[in-house]
Amino acid sequence: MWYHVAKPSEFLVITGRGIDELKIAKKALVLPFQKCTRIDVSPVNYTFEVNAMSTEKLCFLLPAVFTIGPRADDHNSLVKYARLLSRHQRNSHDVKELVQGIIEGETRVLAASMSMEDVFKGTKDFKREVFGKVQVELNQFGLLIYNANIKQLVDVRGHEYFSYLGQKTQMEAANRAKVDVAEAKMKGDVGAKQSEGFTIQSAAKIDVETKVVTAQRQGQGKMEEIKVGSEVKIFEIQQEAEVSEANAKLATKKAAWSQQAKMAEVESDKAVAIREAELQQEVEGRNALTKTENFKAQFLSRANVEYHIKVQEANGEYYQKQKAADAILYEKEKLAQARRVESDAETYAKKQAADVALYTKTKEAEGLLALAEAEGIYIRTLLSALGGNYIALRDYLMINEGIYKDIAKFNADAIRGLQPKINIWSNGVSEEEMSDGTIARKGNGAMKEMSELYRVIPHLLQTVNEQTRMLPPPWLSTCRTNKATPSESA
């Protein structure tokens, strides 16, 4: 019995007594008949040069470095790794060959679906696709890709695509530099000429603008003089208008003050009269309210008495109706109980009848089953007696059951009432007995047979018409039929 503790980058794999498959732990007490194995989960770098081919059938080398190790944070992945790869060293040839086979397979499949230009320009996407597909395959071994680095693509001997591409780029850069020098020289010459022309144009433009500004300044001075004179006249007119407006407002206000004084006197007189009328109306309203309260008190006392009397009468009538309803309810409950008892009795009787019917059907089924078994024994006995001849057994059973007799009767009933029409055709050839006992035919060979064939056609068409109501084509009905006898044809 030993107590084992794993290193930070290790796990303990324990198998043996008391463990179904295997147990993964960082520390454990190993009992007798148990085995403990240490697995290192630190990642390992695998360097490969994958030989792939693009859709243009161009070969290239893809140098790649993958950092791969067991997935330490997933218990199921650790179990897969311990079960499948724990007996191999991490740097062993077997593990490296396994990883290299997966990477090469997925890389070649992906490269075969891309052009060389797509692989070269989309290195990042290509790396991501390879990374994803390889990770899917490594999941079944419990491995995880911690890092993947794809180096620069390299030409394969005999397929110098990238070398030619670099030469092409260099030539394009040299040609582009020559073009840039020529364009710079052309721009310098053109710029010098443009600068001279621009200087002359700018001097002429400044002279014109100076003359325009001088004329504008003179015009603005005259406009200012006219504007100041106009503003002085407008100010004088405005002052006169304000004085006239002030005098008009003063006269209006005096008239309004006089009117207000007269209206105040009239309103004070009318207010006194209105107040007297309101007081008189209030006195009359108080008197009417007093009389109304007296009448209301009389009618209210009378209504209260009548209400109590009607409430007592209604309570008595309600009590009587309630008792009557209780009696009816009690009677209906007793009737429902009686019906329930009667229904239970009918249900019990039906159940007994159903049990009897079920028993009867069961016995009938048992009888049919016994009869079928007896018939089976009987048929097996007959088959054994006939030597296993199924056809003889079938014929015997059909004769015994009278099936042949029924078939003959059905056939006779099927053809009863039919009136078939029978035509006997003769080709007119006569026969006579020779002296030696043989029979000789009279006629003249092939022409005779052809003539007789034409004689048969009208009778054949007539029979078809009678049986099917079908007529011959018009071109056939216009043909003349040879009705000569064999002697006349001869």
Side-chain angles (χ1 to χ4, degrees):
M1 184 181 298
W2 297 94
Y3 189 76
H4 292 262
V5 178
K7 294 179 181 180
S9 62
E10 291 180 346
F11 279 90
L12 301 178
V13 181
I14 304 171
T15 57
R17 188 183 68 178
I19 299 174
D20 294 336
E21 292 184 358
L22 54 87
K23 178 182 177 183
I24 305 293
K26 294 291 287 185
K27 55 185 178 179
L29 181 65
V30 180
L31 303 176
F33 303 104
Q34 289 184 350
K35 184 176 180 180
C36 179
T37 304
R38 296 174 182 267
I39 58 173
D40 192 352
V41 296
S42 58
V44 179
N45 291 329
Y46 297 95
T47 304
F48 309 104
E49 284 189 356
V50 181
N51 193 348
M53 181 180 293
S54 66
T55 55
E56 300 95 343
K57 306 298 185 296
L58 296 175
C59 297
F60 63 92
L61 288 176
L62 181 68
V65 178
F66 282 81
T67 303
I68 300 175
R71 190 188 294 271
D73 57 351
D74 187 11
H75 181 266
N76 294 329
S77 299
L78 288 174
V79 171
K80 291 179 182 179
Y81 178 77
R83 184 183 293 116
L84 299 175
L85 300 176
S86 62
R87 66 185 184 89
H88 300 285
Q89 295 295 329
R90 293 182 303 152
N91 294 323
S92 65
H93 178 72
D94 294 334
V95 177
K96 185 175 181 180
E97 190 175 22
L98 172 66
V99 175
Q100 184 176 1
I102 295 174
I103 295 173
E104 286 183 353
E106 296 299 332
T107 304
R108 287 170 181 169
V109 171
L110 183 60
S113 63
M114 300 174 66
S115 63
M116 183 65 75
E117 194 69 19
D118 295 336
V119 174
F120 186 73
K121 290 185 178 179
T123 306
K124 186 176 181 181
D125 296 334
F126 183 74
K127 172 185 173 182
R128 185 171 59 253
E129 292 290 335
V130 172
F131 186 90
K133 293 182 181 296
V134 171
Q135 182 60 61
V136 172
E137 295 295 330
L138 292 178
N139 286 336
Q140 59 186 337
F141 299 101
L143 297 175
L144 174 67
I145 300 176
Y146 289 93
N147 185 29
N149 184 19
I150 296 177
K151 299 180 181 179
Q152 189 66 34
L153 303 179
V154 181
D155 286 323
V156 180
R157 185 182 300 275
H159 298 273
E160 289 78 11
Y161 174 78
F162 296 110
S163 299
Y164 294 149
L165 189 63
Q167 294 176 8
K168 177 185 174 183
T169 304
Q170 291 177 1
M171 295 300 296
E172 289 179 352
N175 294 330
R176 190 180 299 110
K178 293 178 181 180
V179 173
D180 292 340
V181 170
E183 288 181 354
K185 184 177 180 181
M186 181 188 68
K187 289 180 179 179
D189 296 339
V190 174
K193 296 295 183 181
Q194 286 179 350
S195 299
E196 293 177 1
F198 183 74
T199 302
I200 297 171
Q201 292 176 3
S202 299
K205 183 178 180 181
I206 292 171
D207 293 338
V208 173
E209 288 178 352
T210 303
K211 293 179 181 180
V212 171
V213 169
T214 303
Q216 287 178 352
R217 294 285 177 84
Q218 294 177 357
Q220 287 179 357
K222 293 180 179 179
M223 289 178 64
E224 289 293 333
E225 292 179 359
I226 296 171
K227 183 178 180 181
V228 171
S230 301
E231 289 178 354
V232 171
K233 291 182 179 180
I234 291 170
F235 180 76
E236 292 177 353
I237 294 172
Q238 286 179 353
Q239 292 295 325
E240 293 177 357
E242 289 177 357
V243 171
S244 300
E245 185 178 358
N247 293 330
K249 287 182 179 179
L250 180 59
T252 302
K253 288 183 178 180
K254 287 181 178 180
W257 292 336
S258 177
Q259 183 179 3
Q260 289 178 358
K262 291 179 180 181
M263 288 179 65
E265 292 178 359
V266 173
E267 286 177 356
S268 62
D269 295 338
K270 295 295 183 182
V272 172
I274 290 171
R275 183 58 182 166
E276 290 178 356
E278 288 177 353
L279 293 174
Q280 183 64 31
Q281 184 178 3
E282 186 176 356
V283 171
E284 292 177 356
R286 292 292 177 86
N287 294 332
L289 182 61
T290 303
K291 293 180 181 180
T292 302
E293 292 295 332
N294 293 331
F295 284 120
K296 186 183 293 185
Q298 295 176 0
F299 284 114
L300 182 60
S301 60
R302 188 183 303 169
N304 286 330
V305 173
E306 293 178 354
Y307 169 74
H308 288 293
I309 294 172
K310 289 182 178 181
V311 167
Q312 294 296 328
E313 293 176 353
N315 289 335
E317 186 178 357
Y318 171 73
Y319 181 75
Q320 294 177 358
K321 290 182 178 180
Q322 185 178 12
K323 290 299 181 181
D326 292 340
I328 294 171
L329 178 62
Y330 180 76
E331 182 179 358
K332 288 183 177 180
E333 288 179 353
K334 292 299 181 181
L335 182 60
Q337 292 178 359
R339 289 179 178 177
R340 190 180 302 110
V341 173
E342 184 179 358
S343 176
D344 293 340
E346 291 179 357
T347 303
Y348 180 75
K350 290 180 179 179
K351 182 178 180 182
Q352 294 296 325
D355 293 339
V356 172
L358 177 61
Y359 180 76
T360 303
K361 294 292 183 181
T362 304
K363 291 301 180 181
E364 290 178 357
E366 291 177 354
L368 293 175
L369 181 60
L371 180 60
E373 292 178 353
E375 289 181 352
I377 295 171
Y378 171 68
I379 291 173
R380 285 194 295 272
T381 304
L382 287 176
L383 183 61
S384 176
L386 294 172
N389 191 344
Y390 288 96
I391 297 176
L393 177 62
R394 182 196 64 188
D395 294 340
Y396 174 78
L397 292 176
M398 291 178 71
I399 293 170
N400 191 25
E401 297 294 334
I403 295 176
Y404 284 120
K405 182 180 178 180
D406 294 337
I407 292 173
K409 183 179 179 181
F410 292 151
N411 290 335
D413 292 339
I415 64 174
R416 183 181 290 117
L418 294 179
Q419 297 178 358
K421 183 177 181 180
I422 302 173
N423 294 327
I424 300 175
W425 298 336
S426 175
N427 57 8
V429 178
S430 61
E431 299 176 352
E432 65 178 2
E433 186 175 357
M434 303 297 289
S435 60
D436 58 357
T438 60
I439 296 175
R441 292 179 178 268
K442 292 182 180 181
N444 81 351
M447 294 304 295
K448 183 68 175 179
E449 296 297 332
M450 186 64 69
S451 175
E452 294 304 325
L453 177 62
Y454 279 103
R455 292 181 62 190
V456 170
I457 290 176
H459 300 286
L460 180 61
L461 296 176
Q462 182 181 2
T463 302
V464 172
N465 185 16
E466 291 177 356
Q467 296 295 330
T468 64
R469 301 299 181 187
M470 295 177 64
L471 295 175
W475 60 268
L476 185 59
S477 62
T478 57
C479 296
R480 296 182 62 185
T481 306
N482 185 5
K483 298 183 179 179
T485 60
S487 60
E488 293 173 351
S489 300

